[in-house]
Amino acid sequence: MDLARTEVDKSAEAVAPRSRTRSRRGSAARLGLMALPVAFFAVFFAYPVTAIVARGMHVDGVWRFGRITEVLGQSDIRHVLWFTTWQALASTALTLLIALPGAYVFARLDFPGKQVLRAVVTVPFVLPTVVVGTAFLALIGRGGLFDELWGVRLDTTVWAILLAHVFFNYAVVVRTVGGLWSQLDPRQEEAARMLGASRLTAWRTVTLPALGPAVAAAALMVFLFTFTSFGVVQILGGPAYSTLEVEIYRQTAQLLDLPTAAVLTLVQFAAVGLILAVHAWTVRRRESALKLVDAVGVARRPRGAGQWTLLGLVMATVAVLILLPLGVLVQRSLAGPDGVGLAYYRELTSADGGAFLVPPIEAIGNSLRYALVATVIAVVIGGLAAAALTRRAGRLVRGFDALLMLPLGVSAVTVGFGFLITLDEPPLDLRATWMLVPLAQALVGVPFVVRTMLPVLRAVDGRLREAAAVLGASPLRVWREVDLPMVRRALLIAAGFAFAVSLGEFGATVFIARPDNPTLPVAVARLLGRAGDLNYGQAMALSTILMVVCAVSLLLLERLRADRTTGEF
C-alpha cells in the first residue's frame, strides 16, 4: 500500500509541473488573443471618446466639473433625460407585451412557413434605424397612409416612436426568450397540471421562473437600444422630442456646445455601463439555468382553438407591425409624380437635385465597400476576442467582455466626432482617408461577432483543445485544427450580422462620411432633411434598396444557421 501511494505521489509530482506549464501557456495565449482587440478598442473607441469628453470638460486649462451640475439643472436637459428614460421604459414594456406571444409560437409550435416567418421578424433588427424611421414616416407621417385614409398624422408623436421601437426590437425578444423556451422540457409543466394546477398557474410557477433570466436579458437589450435611440427619434420625433443621443448630436453638430455634449455623453456612458453590468449578470444566470434543462425538440403542430388563435394573432401582428410599414415604404418609392413607376429610382442617377456632390446611386457602392471592409475588421477583432473569452478567467475576462459591448450603448455621435478631432495627426492621420468609416462601423459590428461566436466556442469540448496542446500543437494550430472546423458556420453568420449592421450604421458615419462618398443611411437622412416631393421620393427609393440588401443578407444567414440556438442574435 505504501509503495502504491509513493508511486501515485511521484506521478502527481510529475504531472503538476506540466499542468502548471499548460496553465501558464493558457494564460499567455489568452493575453495574446486579447492584445489586438484591446489595442483596437483603446485607439478607436476609448481614445476618441475620452478626447471629446476632455475637450468639453477641460476649458482654458481648467477642469470644469461644475458644468455637470449646470447642464443637468437646465429644464430642457431634464426634459430630454426624462423623455429618454420614459420612452425607453415604455418601448421595452410594449415590446415584451407584443413579442412574448411570438416567442412562444416560435418555440413551441410547428407550422408551415415557420423558417420564412422567423426570417421576416428578424429583418427589422438588422435594418438601419434610418430606414425604420423612414418606413414609419411613410406609414403615419406627411402624406402617409394614415394621413391619406383618415387625415391622421402621428409623425411627431410619442406613439410613432414607440411603435417604431417595437418594430425594431421584436426579434430581440423572440430570439432571446424563444431560444430558451424551446429548450425547456414541457414535461415539467405537464407534471404540475397533473397535480391539479391550472394552465396559468403551471406556467406562472414552472415556466416563468425558468424564463426569467432570458426575459430580463431581452428586456435589458431592448432598453439599451431604445435608451440610445438616434435615427428613429431624429426622423420621427421632430424638435419636440429628443433622446440623449439626439441631443448630443444637436449640441455637437448644430450648436457646437462641446461642454454640454460632454456632460450628456458622461451621463449616457454611466447609464449604459449600469445596464451592461446588469445584463452580464442576467446572461450568467441564463447560462446557469441552461444547465438545468434538457434541450429537446418540443415544437408541435398547434392543437386546440387556443393555440390556433394565438398563431393567428402572432401572424396578424407580424403582418401589421412589420410587413405593413415595409410595404408602404416600397409603395411610396414607386409612387412617382406621373403615377406608379420607377421615376424616383431613375432620379437617383442624377446629382442635379443639389443634395449631393455625386449621384445618390453612388451611395450604394460606397456602403457596400465600407461594409465589406468593416466586416473583415469586425470578424478578425471579434473572433480573437471570442476565442479569448472562451477561456473563463474571472474578473479580467468579464471586464473585457463588458468593454466589447460598450459601442452598442455609448454615443455613436461622440465616437464619430471624436474620430474627427483625434485621428488627424501622425501616426494616425486618417481624417482624410476613406478608412474612418469602416473603422467606425467595425466598432458596432464586433459585439455582434462576439455574441454570435461565443456560445458556440464555449460548446466545444475543452478536452479536445487540451489533447491537441498535449500533443504539442501551438495555440494558433489548436484554433485552426479544433475550433475553426466546429465554428465555421457560426463565423459566417457572425460575418453576415456584422455586414448588415455596418451597412446601416448612422450615428458615427453622419459625421465622418465625406460629401463625395456618402453612405446609404447618410444619403437617406440628407434627402429627408430637404423639402420637396422629389427628395422625399428618392429617400424612399434609397431606403427600399437598403431594406432589400439587408433582407437578402438576413435570409442567407437563416439558411446558414445550423440550429435555432446559434449565438445570441
Side-chain angles (χ1 to χ4, degrees):
M1 181 68 71
D2 292 338
L3 179 61
R5 288 178 178 174
T6 302
E7 293 299 324
V8 170
D9 291 340
K10 289 181 179 179
S11 299
E13 290 174 0
V15 171
R18 291 198 296 269
S19 299
R20 287 193 294 269
T21 300
R22 285 198 298 269
S23 178
R24 286 194 295 270
R25 287 178 179 174
S27 299
R30 179 166 52 251
L31 292 176
L33 291 170
M34 291 171 59
L36 185 59
V38 168
F40 178 80
F41 273 78
V43 173
F44 298 112
F45 178 70
Y47 177 43
V49 172
T50 303
I52 195 70
V53 172
R55 181 166 295 198
M57 300 297 294
H58 193 258
V59 182
D60 298 329
V62 179
W63 287 98
R64 303 292 179 88
F65 292 109
R67 181 65 177 165
I68 297 177
T69 305
E70 295 176 10
V71 171
L72 297 182
Q74 299 174 17
S75 59
D76 56 336
I77 297 299
R78 289 200 304 270
H79 174 73
V80 169
L81 291 172
W82 163 248
F83 177 72
T84 301
T85 306
W86 181 90
Q87 64 83 25
L89 289 171
S91 296
T92 302
L94 194 60
T95 302
L96 289 174
L97 179 66
I98 294 177
L100 281 176
Y104 171 83
V105 165
F106 284 107
R108 291 296 175 90
L109 301 185
D110 187 22
F111 52 91
K114 181 177 178 178
Q115 294 304 319
V116 174
L117 190 63
R118 185 190 299 275
V120 168
V121 302
T122 312
V123 166
F125 181 67
V126 299
L127 283 181
T129 55
V130 171
V131 174
V132 175
T134 306
F136 276 81
L137 187 65
L139 180 65
I140 56 183
R142 55 178 183 181
L145 183 65
F146 285 13
D147 191 8
E148 288 184 354
L149 296 180
W150 302 293
V152 178
R153 292 180 59 184
L154 302 172
D155 53 309
T156 57
T157 67
V158 175
W159 274 110
I161 296 172
L162 296 183
L163 290 174
H165 284 160
V166 175
F167 169 92
F168 188 73
N169 293 291
Y170 185 90
V172 175
V173 177
V174 168
R175 285 188 174 265
T176 304
V177 180
L180 179 57
W181 209 334
S182 65
Q183 293 179 300
L184 297 181
D185 191 342
R187 291 173 295 184
Q188 298 176 359
E189 189 172 323
E190 293 170 0
R193 293 287 309 280
M194 292 180 63
L195 293 174
S198 65
R199 185 180 297 275
L200 179 61
T201 301
W203 182 84
R204 180 174 55 82
T205 58
V206 177
T207 304
L208 184 58
L211 289 176
V215 173
L220 284 167
M221 290 305 297
V222 173
F223 183 84
L224 175 65
F225 291 142
T226 53
F227 186 84
T228 58
S229 181
F230 178 58
V232 168
V233 180
Q234 176 80 350
I235 292 175
L236 293 175
Y241 301 100
S242 292
T243 56
L244 269 173
E245 188 82 352
V246 173
E247 187 63 20
I248 290 171
Y249 174 77
R250 191 175 76 90
Q251 295 289 341
T252 303
Q254 300 176 6
L255 303 181
L256 300 179
D257 187 351
L258 287 186
T260 299
V263 171
L264 297 180
T265 298
L266 289 175
V267 171
Q268 182 166 308
F269 187 84
V272 167
L274 178 61
I275 295 169
L276 290 178
V278 178
H279 177 264
W281 177 70
T282 60
V283 168
R284 288 197 297 273
R285 284 191 61 197
R286 184 175 56 179
E287 289 178 349
S288 299
L290 282 174
K291 299 174 184 177
L292 303 177
V293 300
D294 296 324
V296 294
V298 298
R300 301 174 180 173
R301 299 281 294 181
R303 295 178 298 177
Q307 290 189 345
W308 280 108
T309 301
L310 184 60
L311 176 60
L313 178 63
V314 169
M315 296 185 74
T317 300
V318 172
V320 174
L321 180 67
I322 296 176
L323 295 181
L324 181 60
L326 297 181
V328 172
L329 178 64
V330 175
Q331 185 268 330
R332 292 299 171 193
S333 72
L334 296 173
D338 300 322
V340 177
L342 300 176
Y344 291 136
Y345 290 89
R346 286 192 291 269
E347 289 294 334
L348 295 177
T349 61
S350 172
D352 296 338
F356 301 92
L357 298 178
V358 295
I361 196 70
E362 292 193 12
I364 301 173
N366 295 334
S367 289
L368 292 175
R369 287 193 297 271
Y370 290 148
L372 286 172
V373 175
T375 299
V376 173
I377 298 172
V379 168
V380 172
I381 300 298
L384 290 173
L389 290 171
T390 305
R391 299 162 171 83
R392 303 172 186 267
R395 294 181 179 179
L396 175 64
V397 171
R398 289 199 296 270
F400 180 55
D401 194 6
L403 170 68
L404 298 174
M405 292 291 290
L406 281 177
L408 290 181
V410 173
S411 171
V413 170
T414 301
V415 174
F417 194 54
F419 269 34
L420 291 182
I421 68 171
T422 57
L423 304 180
D424 60 345
E425 297 179 357
L428 290 173
D429 187 4
L430 302 176
R431 191 163 65 176
T433 70
W434 60 271
M435 276 299 297
L436 273 186
V437 174
L439 285 170
Q441 293 174 343
L443 282 172
V444 182
V446 167
F448 289 90
V449 174
V450 174
R451 298 267 74 82
T452 302
M453 294 187 62
L454 188 56
V456 182
L457 282 171
R458 284 180 173 168
V460 177
D461 192 340
R463 291 172 295 183
L464 296 176
R465 299 190 186 99
E466 294 175 0
V470 168
L471 293 174
S474 65
L476 180 60
R477 187 173 181 183
V478 171
W479 161 257
R480 187 176 67 248
E481 301 292 341
V482 177
D483 292 278
L484 184 58
M486 297 186 179
V487 302
R488 185 179 290 111
R489 189 184 297 268
L491 185 63
L492 291 174
I493 294 173
F497 267 117
F499 177 79
V501 298
S502 298
L503 198 65
E505 204 288 321
F506 177 59
T509 308
V510 71
F511 272 99
I512 57 182
R514 295 167 55 179
D516 57 341
N517 284 292
T519 63
L520 277 169
V522 172
V524 170
R526 193 176 299 174
L527 286 167
L528 287 175
R530 296 174 63 89
D533 292 338
L534 178 60
N535 289 315
Y536 179 78
Q538 287 180 300
M540 296 296 163
L542 277 180
S543 295
T544 301
I545 293 172
L546 189 51
M547 177 193 71
V548 170
V549 173
C550 290
V552 170
S553 301
L554 197 280
L555 290 172
L556 291 176
L557 292 184
E558 285 298 317
R559 293 180 64 88
L560 286 171
R561 185 173 295 274
D563 54 66
R564 73 188 69 183
T565 60
T566 302
E568 294 183 27
F569 290 102

